[in-house]
Amino acid sequence: MKNDGYGQAEILTPEQLDLLVENLPEGPHRIAFCVMRYSASRISETLKLKWSDITEESILFKSINTKTDESRSIYLNPKLKLILAEWRTIWHKYPLKARKVSTLSELNEYVIKQPTAEDYVFKGRKKGQHLNRKSVDRVLRRTLKQLEIDGASCHSMRRSMLTKLKE
């Protein structure tokens, strides 16, 4: 069990993972968690994903973003495929500078900005940057504390999925 950053991250049950999804705040943090859960990816490589890395069939984790410096393509889980398809349509509502959902002005014509291939799936506070790892970790830890799940961390999603696949 992980304690103060030491030890292995706890392996979570499917029920705990579902509960976590339900309780994480809507938006990029929840979607990043889902990507980690269904692809067994690490937090850093997840946050560096660009829309060009996601196809109808797979997610490509590029060698420059992986711990092993080797690219790998992961089959796109059907649940994750739906989650990412919906995220693409509401991605524009989560603008930079840590604002939540933007408000639409009735006076101005509003065009929904679709992400480009080079946009990060999880955009950061500054243009051209991805969401910060510390931000995701902070939100996840706060949610885990509320749910009274001990010993888990961002790496728990990877360990949980790999354990499930092994079984």
Side-chain angles (χ1 to χ4, degrees), residues 56-70:
E56 286 288 317
E57 309 298 323
S58 64
I59 298 177
L60 175 64
F61 294 98
K62 295 178 183 170
S63 61
I64 59 171
N65 299 329
T66 65
K67 182 178 177 180
T68 61
D69 294 326
E70 293 181 15

Side-chain angles (χ1 to χ4, degrees), residues 136-152:
V136 175
D137 187 58
R138 184 175 45 252
V139 170
L140 181 62
R141 287 182 190 276
R142 183 173 53 231
T143 307
L144 287 166
K145 187 175 182 178
Q146 290 169 352
L147 297 173
E148 298 178 355
I149 298 174
D150 295 324

